[in-house]
Amino acid sequence: MKIGTPLEVEAGENRVAMTPDSARQLQKLGYDCVIEAGAGAKAGFSDADYTAAGVEVVTGADALWSASDIIAKVRIPQEAELGRLTADKTLITFFNPGGNEAGLEQAKATGGSVIAMEMVPRISRAQKMDALSSMANIAGYRAVIEAGNNFGRFFTGQITAAGKVPPAKVLVVGAGVAGLAAIGTSTSLGAITYAFDVRPEVAEQVESMGAEFVYLDFEEEQQDGAATGGYAAVSSPEFREAQLAKFRELAPEVDIVITTALIPNRPAPKLWTADMIAAMKPGSVIVDLAAEKGGNAEGTVMDEKVVTENGVTIIGYTDFPSRMAAQASTLYSTNIRHMMTDLTPEKDGQINHNMEDDVIRGATVAHAGAITFPPPPPKVAAIAAKPKEVVPELTPEEKRAAETAAFKAQTKNQVTLLAVGGALLLAVGLVAPASFMQHFIVFVLSVFIGFQVIWGVAHSLHTPLMAVTNAISSIIILGALMQIGSGSWLVIILASLSIFMAGINIFGGFLVTRRMLAMFQKS
């Protein structure tokens, strides 16, 4: 079968769904690759690059669609493109099935199969195909770059002979994929970064990236993101008022605001109101990543940059991934290639459209003359936090009784172990020479102390603890080397085993230490 990629017809779209590298990987799955002439030019991939990768270059969309069994593209197909779809073809693209009823009906009429890349379920196995996250990652990064391009000062603070430059203050509203990418870029550029999200469970992730999470003095049980496909749920009016009050407090302080709040197939919620914009300092910048759905900020104009009366720049561009076409095309084509890997389990160049597979079924919106959107919930649920176990409150008397019982049980176990250990030492001492017993008692006490120390270490510290054991292992290997020349064959065997095991521990400990230190080094 042949997989082809047409030239994107949407105005201003620079991405392409197949790169020379992804074409080579698709060929390993048994497919022949076809591309329309000039399809990759805006992303920096020439026709000659595709030819060198073994891709057939054809002229015109009609020739491309006629030659291909599978068509991979980026933007939502237009009516003319869907008109080329037939029952024996598969289309893989962004489709927006929730807001594209006419497109679904047209796809149904053709009898072809349509796989919508934004419908890939957010489960662990499908992360490599999550094109929505790939593009959101680029959008978040590019949003900070665009903000810096329109901001009149440094991101990082500086102290120079000419004076002190304070760092920029950046607020990221929404800590999804795009928000986290914006947070990472902002902090790496040296800005003081704040982040807000209606899901408090993301606070730890935000803080781990060097940003400060903005908390509200408001308690509301939020819907689990797993139940909404990884997106935040709609908040109550009371929560929204508390949220807006916090933003009004922050507005005069921040220099750059990046809003990412979006709920699929709904108008973007208005989170940055006109009074907040009026309170911002002249020269401040707002980048609204929800501009395509009306924007999170009042005054956002889709695909335009506007400047308010008080000098605040509002950027409403919707083509951030397309502005980084080479990178976006590389990531998107990799998502497509992973999807094709799942569709081709035998690697024989033949599609197996298995509707029992969670990922394939979830992403398929039209198949065999039927609309298959919306999909059923995946059999494997998205990763979600375990519900907290309800622990009944104990009275002070019950707590003291429980602590006393636990102490008595622990004491009983320790006494039992000491008694058994003493009996074993006595038994050995009855038959072993006195010189042996001196060393044996030291050995037993060392094992006991080591066991007690290691047992109390948290599991997360076991790996760094391995590095510390290098010193202990070195002592063991020295003792074994001294005994290797003994006249007893039993001592020689035991010494050899000691050298072997201690050597593994020493070299392994150094490797672990090296890898741990590398984690804290900037590349």
Side-chain angles (χ1 to χ4, degrees):
M1 298 181 78
K2 291 186 176 182
I3 177 168
T5 295
L7 175 68
E8 295 295 326
V9 297
E10 190 80 23
E13 181 53 67
N14 300 323
R15 292 170 291 176
V16 64
M18 181 192 296
T19 65
D21 285 339
S22 73
R24 293 185 181 95
Q25 298 300 321
L26 291 169
Q27 288 165 15
K28 292 179 182 180
L29 294 174
Y31 292 101
D32 295 324
C33 297
V34 188
I35 195 164
E36 184 179 349
K42 293 180 180 178
F45 305 111
S46 67
D47 292 344
D49 293 333
Y50 287 104
T51 301
V55 181
E56 179 187 355
V57 180
V58 299
T59 303
D62 289 333
L64 184 283
W65 282 76
S66 298
S68 306
D69 303 293
I70 307 143
I71 297 89
K73 65 186 305 295
V74 181
R75 295 299 289 263
I76 299 171
Q78 297 183 0
E79 184 178 349
E81 292 178 298
L82 281 175
R84 298 187 178 101
L85 187 64
T86 57
D88 59 342
K89 295 185 186 298
T90 299
L91 174 62
I92 305 175
T93 181
F94 282 115
F95 200 83
N96 186 27
N100 190 10
E101 187 176 348
L104 285 175
E105 290 294 339
Q106 190 176 357
K108 172 186 174 181
T110 65
S113 299
V114 178
I115 294 176
M117 291 302 291
E118 68 265 59
M119 291 302 297
V120 170
R122 287 187 163 178
I123 58 177
S124 298
R125 180 170 73 85
Q127 287 180 354
K128 59 189 176 184
M129 308 172 214
D130 191 352
L132 208 58
S133 292
S134 297
M135 298 303 101
N137 181 26
I138 294 174
Y141 170 86
R142 184 70 187 197
V144 177
I145 302 303
E146 290 289 341
N149 187 45
N150 288 273
F151 185 55
R153 293 195 288 107
F154 294 130
F155 267 68
T156 185
Q158 293 189 11
I159 298 176
T160 70
K164 182 179 178 181
V165 179
K169 291 184 178 181
V170 178
L171 171 65
V172 180
V173 180
V177 176
L180 291 173
I183 291 166
T185 308
S186 176
T187 54
S188 66
L189 289 174
I192 299 173
T193 308
Y194 304 95
F196 173 82
D197 197 281
V198 298
R199 300 162 295 176
E201 61 268 21
V202 304
E204 187 175 336
Q205 191 171 5
V206 166
E207 290 166 353
S208 71
M209 299 180 72
E212 180 180 335
F213 191 78
V214 177
Y215 291 94
L216 299 183
D217 295 328
F218 186 90
E219 291 187 5
E220 177 177 76
E221 186 175 347
Q222 296 293 320
Q223 186 175 351
D224 192 343
T228 55
Y231 296 95
V234 179
S235 303
S236 69
E238 293 79 12
F239 184 89
R240 174 177 165 78
E241 288 305 316
Q243 181 182 8
L244 295 180
K246 191 65 176 180
F247 291 163
R248 288 189 181 95
E249 179 185 329
L250 292 172
E253 300 178 17
V254 294
D255 302 299
I256 295 171
V257 178
I258 298 173
T259 63
T260 70
L262 198 58
I263 301 173
N265 300 312
R266 289 175 178 266
K270 294 297 181 186
L271 302 178
W272 208 257
T273 56
D275 61 310
M276 299 175 196
I277 297 172
M280 296 179 74
K281 293 170 286 191
S284 300
V285 180
I286 300 171
V287 182
D288 196 337
L289 291 180
E292 193 169 3
K293 294 294 183 180
N296 297 135
E298 290 186 357
T300 296
V301 179
M302 181 176 168
D303 291 322
E304 292 186 19
K305 178 177 72 175
V306 297
V307 180
T308 65
E309 292 182 0
N310 63 322
V312 176
T313 301
I314 305 176
I315 299 172
Y317 301 151
T318 60
D319 60 345
F320 287 112
S322 189
R323 289 170 182 255
M324 299 182 67
Q327 184 66 75
S329 299
T330 299
L331 294 180
Y332 182 66
S333 63
T334 302
N335 296 141
I336 294 283
R337 190 252 299 175
H338 284 303
M339 175 62 75
M340 292 304 303
T341 301
D342 270 30
L343 286 166
T344 320
E346 301 299 327
K347 298 184 180 180
D348 56 356
Q350 299 295 318
I351 275 189
N352 177 16
H353 206 116
N354 180 14
M355 294 293 275
E356 296 299 318
D357 184 282
D358 273 345
V359 177
I360 296 172
R361 174 64 188 89
T364 302
V365 296
H367 181 63
I371 295 175
T372 57
F373 173 83
K379 302 183 206 66
V380 180
I383 298 173
K386 290 183 178 179
K388 294 183 179 179
E389 295 182 6
V390 179
V391 180
E393 287 288 334
L394 299 177
T395 63
E397 293 76 13
E398 290 174 332
K399 286 182 180 179
R400 283 194 293 271
E403 290 172 356
T404 303
F407 176 76
K408 288 181 178 179
Q410 184 179 10
T411 304
K412 182 179 179 181
N413 290 336
Q414 290 177 343
V415 170
T416 303
L417 286 174
L418 288 172
V420 172
L424 290 174
L425 281 175
L426 181 61
V428 173
L430 292 174
V431 295
S435 59
F436 172 81
M437 286 303 298
Q438 291 177 358
H439 297 295
F440 184 66
I441 291 172
V442 172
F443 171 74
V444 170
L445 290 174
S446 301
V447 170
F448 178 75
I449 294 170
F451 176 78
Q452 292 294 327
V453 171
I454 301 301
W455 190 260
V457 175
H459 292 293
S460 58
L461 297 178
H462 281 179
T463 299
L465 192 65
M466 287 175 59
V468 181
T469 59
N470 285 339
I472 300 173
S473 298
S474 300
I475 296 171
I476 294 172
I477 204 169
L478 287 175
L481 286 170
M482 293 176 65
Q483 297 297 325
I484 198 72
S486 172
S488 170
W489 61 269
L490 179 60
V491 174
I492 294 174
I493 292 174
L494 292 174
S496 301
L497 288 173
S498 299
I499 293 171
F500 175 71
M501 289 185 285
I504 292 175
N505 206 21
I506 291 170
F507 294 115
F510 280 118
L511 287 174
V512 169
T513 304
R514 185 180 183 84
R515 291 188 65 178
M516 286 172 54
L517 293 175
M519 291 170 60
F520 299 96
Q521 293 175 348
K522 289 187 177 180
S523 56

